[in-house]
Amino acid sequence: GQTKFEVDIQKLKDSIERLDKEISRFQGSQKELTKKVAERKRLQDQLDKLLGTGTGGSGRASRLTGEQKDFIKDIEARRDELLA
C-alpha cells in the first residue's frame, strides 16, 4: 500500500492541479486571483519540501518543478491577457 507520505504528496499534487484549473479559467477580481496564486505557491512549497526539491533531491523532482514553473508562467501570461 501507499505510505502516508505518498498519500500526502498525491493530495498536494491534486490540490495544486485543482488550483491550476481554477486559476487558468479564473474570472474574478485580481485580489481573489492573487489569493489563489499565493495558495498554489504555498502548496507547491510544501510539495517541494516533501519531495526534497531544492535540497539535492532527485533529478526527476527538479525537472517536475521546471515544468510547473513553465506552467505558472503560462497561467500568469493568461491572467495578464485577461486583465489587459
Side-chain angles (χ1 to χ4, degrees), residues 49-63:
K49 225 175 268 163
L50 281 174
L51 294 173
T53 312
T55 53
S58 76
R60 191 176 168 278
S62 316
R63 197 162 54 240

Side-chain angles (χ1 to χ4, degrees), residues 20-31:
D20 284 343
K21 285 184 183 130
E22 286 177 23
I23 291 167
S24 68
R25 51 171 195 259
F26 190 73
Q27 298 295 318
S29 72
Q30 177 64 45
K31 192 172 155 193

Side-chain angles (χ1 to χ4, degrees), residues 60-77:
R60 191 176 168 278
S62 316
R63 197 162 54 240
L64 194 78
T65 333
E67 287 169 17
Q68 288 165 334
K69 281 180 190 157
D70 292 344
F71 189 75
I72 292 175
K73 280 185 194 136
D74 293 345
I75 288 173
E76 287 172 346

Side-chain angles (χ1 to χ4, degrees), residues 5-71:
F5 184 69
E6 289 169 325
V7 171
D8 285 349
I9 288 174
Q10 192 52 54
K11 209 163 66 178
L12 273 172
K13 284 181 177 174
D14 291 345
S15 297
I16 289 170
E17 208 173 288
R18 182 180 43 77
L19 273 168
D20 284 343
K21 285 184 183 130
E22 286 177 23
I23 291 167
S24 68
R25 51 171 195 259
F26 190 73
Q27 298 295 318
S29 72
Q30 177 64 45
K31 192 172 155 193
E32 286 175 56
L33 181 61
T34 305
K35 264 186 0 202
K36 283 190 190 300
V37 171
E39 171 68 3
R40 190 208 180 283
K41 184 185 180 323
R42 191 180 66 76
L43 291 171
Q44 183 63 56
D45 289 346
Q46 275 184 312
L47 182 62
D48 290 347
K49 225 175 268 163
L50 281 174
L51 294 173
T53 312
T55 53
S58 76
R60 191 176 168 278
S62 316
R63 197 162 54 240
L64 194 78
T65 333
E67 287 169 17
Q68 288 165 334
K69 281 180 190 157
D70 292 344
F71 189 75

